[in-house]
C-alpha cells in the first residue's frame, strides 16, 4: 500500500510520530513535508497529498494541521478524494467503513501522538462495507462529475 503524508507546522510533530509508527508496521509513507515547525500554509501540503491520491499515485493519504479541518477542506476539492477529519475511534472506523475515506485528516492540536497512532491504525485496518454505501459514494462521484473540471 502506498501512503503519502504531509502536515503544516501545526501537525509537524504528529507527522513525525506517525511516520515512525508506520515504519514499525512495515508501511512506508512518502513524506511530502513540511520539514520543520516554521509557519507554512496548509493548502500547499494538502494539495501535494490530494493530487497523489486523486491521480492514483497513492492509495491513502494522511494530512495533519492544527485541527485537520483546513487540510480536509482542500483535499476534498480533488476528484476521487474522500478526506475525513477523524477525532476518535468511532470516526476513524466509520471514515473507512461507511465513507471509504482515502485520506484522513488529524489535528495536531487536538490529538496526541498515542491517540493519533490509534486512529491511523484503526482506519488502516478497517474495511469499506460497500453495500448501501456504494449508492452514496456514487452520488458523491456524480457531484464531482457535474461540478469539477
Ligand atoms: C495554523 O495556525 C492553523 O490554522 C492550521 O494548522 C489548521 O488548523 C487549519 O485548519
Amino acid at each position: 500500500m502506498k501512503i503519502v503524508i504531509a502536515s503544516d507546522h501545526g501537525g509537524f510533530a504528529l507527522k513525525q510520530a506517525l511516520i515512525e509508527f508506520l515504519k514499525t508496521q512495515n508501511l512506508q509513507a512518502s513524506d511530502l513535508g513540511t520539514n520543520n515547525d516554521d509557519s507554512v500554509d496548509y493548502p500547499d501540503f494538502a494539495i501535494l497529498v490530494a493530487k497523489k491520491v486523486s491521480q492514483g499515485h497513492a492509495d491513502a493519504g494522511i494530512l495533519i494541521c492544527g485541527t485537520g479541518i483546513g487540510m480536509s477542506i482542500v483535499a476534498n476539492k480533488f476528484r476521487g478524494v474522500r478526506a475525513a477529519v477523524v477525532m476518535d475511534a468511532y470516526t476513524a472506523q466509520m471514515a473507512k467503513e461507511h465513507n471509504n475515506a482515502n485520506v484522513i485528516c488529524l489535528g495536531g492540536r487536538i490529538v496526541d501522538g498515542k491517540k493519533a497512532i490509534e486512529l491511523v491504525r484503526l482506519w488502516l485496518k478497517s474495511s469499506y462495507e460497500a453495500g448501501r454505501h456504494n449508492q452514496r459514494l456514487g452520488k458523491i462521484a456524480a457531484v464531482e462529475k457535474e461540478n469539477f473540471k
Side-chain angles (χ1 to χ4, degrees):
M1 175 192 266
K2 279 192 181 171
I3 301 176
V4 282
I5 187 167
S7 74
D8 72 355
H9 52 290
F12 174 68
L14 205 51
K15 172 169 69 68
Q16 301 314 111
L18 287 172
I19 289 170
E20 287 312 307
F21 162 70
L22 290 168
K23 276 186 200 158
T24 69
Q25 306 300 298
N26 289 322
L27 291 168
Q28 202 74 26
S30 298
D31 182 0
L32 304 183
T34 187
N35 299 320
N36 53 53
D37 54 18
D38 293 348
S39 182
V40 290
D41 296 332
Y42 61 82
D44 296 336
F45 296 91
I47 287 166
L48 295 176
V49 162
K51 259 191 188 161
K52 293 275 186 203
V53 174
S54 179
Q55 294 172 357
H57 301 307
D59 306 302
I62 301 171
L63 285 166
I64 313 123
C65 59
T67 59
I69 295 170
M71 290 295 200
S72 71
I73 291 171
V74 179
N76 280 314
K77 304 285 182 204
F78 286 76
R79 189 189 290 271
V81 171
R82 291 176 302 279
V85 181
V86 304
M87 296 192 178
D88 53 27
Y90 187 69
T91 51
Q93 197 175 330
M94 286 302 109
K96 179 65 79 56
E97 290 184 0
H98 286 196
N99 310 110
N100 203 14
N102 47 16
V103 173
I104 57 164
C105 305
L106 297 158
R109 297 172 187 155
I110 309 279
V111 292
D112 63 16
K114 193 170 167 228
K115 187 82 187 170
I117 286 168
E118 183 202 347
L119 302 185
V120 168
R121 196 182 52 74
L122 262 174
W123 171 64
L124 287 175
K125 79 162 199 185
S126 299
S127 303
Y128 174 50
E129 283 178 5
R132 68 191 188 280
H133 303 294
N134 282 340
Q135 178 177 321
R136 295 156 188 173
L137 296 199
K139 290 185 178 185
I140 295 171
V143 170
E144 286 179 346
K145 206 170 170 193
E146 204 173 302
N147 295 303
F148 287 15
K149 268 187 231 148

